[in-house]
Amino acid sequence: MDDVREETREADLAGAVSEDVSAFVELSEVLTGFSRYDLRGTGMAELYLDTVKRQIGTSGYDALITILAAAPRQSPDWDERPELLEAARAIAYLWYTGAWPRLAPAAHAALRRQMANEEFVVSPSSYTEGLVWRTFHGHPAGAKPPGFGTWSMAPPPVPPIEEVFDELEPDFAGRHAVFTAPVSVSDIDPSMLPGLAPERYVTPSAQPRAAAPPTRQEQQ
């Protein structure tokens, strides 16, 4: 009987972990512009989720999930929690580079985390699995060589939008199910398209930073 209870408990725990990771992958799909299939294929989802929760805290992560779930097809309102906008950028940075970035000092202070605010590579595998290499069909230097002679071949062309629609899974629903008829690519939210999004051409230094936390006088 004890063995049966233990197996049941482990199965329940595995199901809970799976749901947690699935929610994180769905969140990351919005932030990176890559599909759940691509994100899962890196093998980094569980490790990245653990990293995010340690860096911004479980309460901060839950708040971020709530904000993005409330406005999945438009820019959320970050005015009340600007540090979560910085956390969202950090998650995208993590997926693309395999490293957790140094947060804006104001955001790090608002999150009230005890660890040092510095950039670090999450694992050796995260470097090779960074999404940045996929954006230009490249490969990480010193790892995952593409094969002899491939340097002489042109990268594959970007598929037409019709082909992208055809390859989407049958249950492609939720926040993505907003088009019932063919539309122009220019009318589609860049986060819903594969590959590079126009926002990624903006240099990090040009991005607005999180606001400073309120002073004691302002809080009173």
Side-chain angles (χ1 to χ4, degrees):
M1 179 63 70
D2 291 339
D3 293 341
V4 174
R5 289 177 179 175
E6 182 65 20
E7 290 178 0
T8 302
R9 187 187 70 81
E10 292 179 354
D12 292 342
L13 180 60
V17 172
S18 178
E19 291 179 3
D20 201 12
V21 173
S22 296
F24 175 66
V25 170
E26 187 171 346
L27 162 73
S28 300
E29 184 181 22
V30 176
L31 297 177
T32 66
F34 277 82
S35 69
R36 284 167 282 179
Y37 178 86
D38 289 324
L39 299 177
R40 288 259 188 196
T42 65
M44 294 287 107
E46 290 82 358
L47 178 59
Y48 286 173
L49 174 58
D50 181 64
T51 300
V52 171
K53 286 187 173 182
R54 283 189 287 107
Q55 294 300 315
I56 70 174
T58 302
S59 60
Y61 173 74
D62 291 341
L64 180 59
I65 287 279
T66 301
I67 286 180
L68 290 175
R73 292 193 294 270
Q74 58 189 5
S75 180
D77 183 8
W78 303 102
D79 291 340
E80 294 186 3
R81 298 292 302 273
E83 73 276 9
L84 295 182
L85 175 57
E86 186 78 355
R89 289 174 178 148
I91 293 175
Y93 187 94
L94 175 62
W95 277 105
Y96 272 85
T97 67
W100 181 262
R102 182 178 184 274
L103 301 178
H108 187 261
L111 291 169
R112 301 180 183 277
R113 306 308 295 159
Q114 299 299 320
M115 65 279 295
N117 184 22
E118 57 186 15
E119 182 169 349
F120 64 91
V121 177
V122 174
S123 75
S125 298
S126 65
Y127 163 71
T128 60
E129 295 297 336
L131 298 178
V132 63
W133 311 112
R134 303 189 185 195
T135 61
F136 59 92
H137 305 287
H139 67 94
K144 281 191 170 183
F148 179 77
T150 53
W151 54 267
S152 63
M153 303 169 62
V158 177
I161 191 64
E162 293 78 10
E163 183 178 330
V164 174
F165 284 152
D166 291 340
E167 292 181 356
L168 295 178
E169 63 267 27
D171 62 342
F172 198 60
R175 64 177 179 278
H176 300 286
V178 294
F179 304 114
T180 57
V183 296
S184 171
V185 175
S186 60
D187 296 331
I188 302 176
D189 188 331
S191 66
M192 298 175 64
L193 295 174
L196 288 171
E199 289 84 353
R200 297 181 194 139
Y201 291 103
V202 179
T203 60
S205 60
Q207 295 282 6
R209 289 299 181 180
T215 63
R216 287 188 177 182
Q217 289 85 357
E218 292 173 340
Q219 291 177 341
Q220 294 173 354

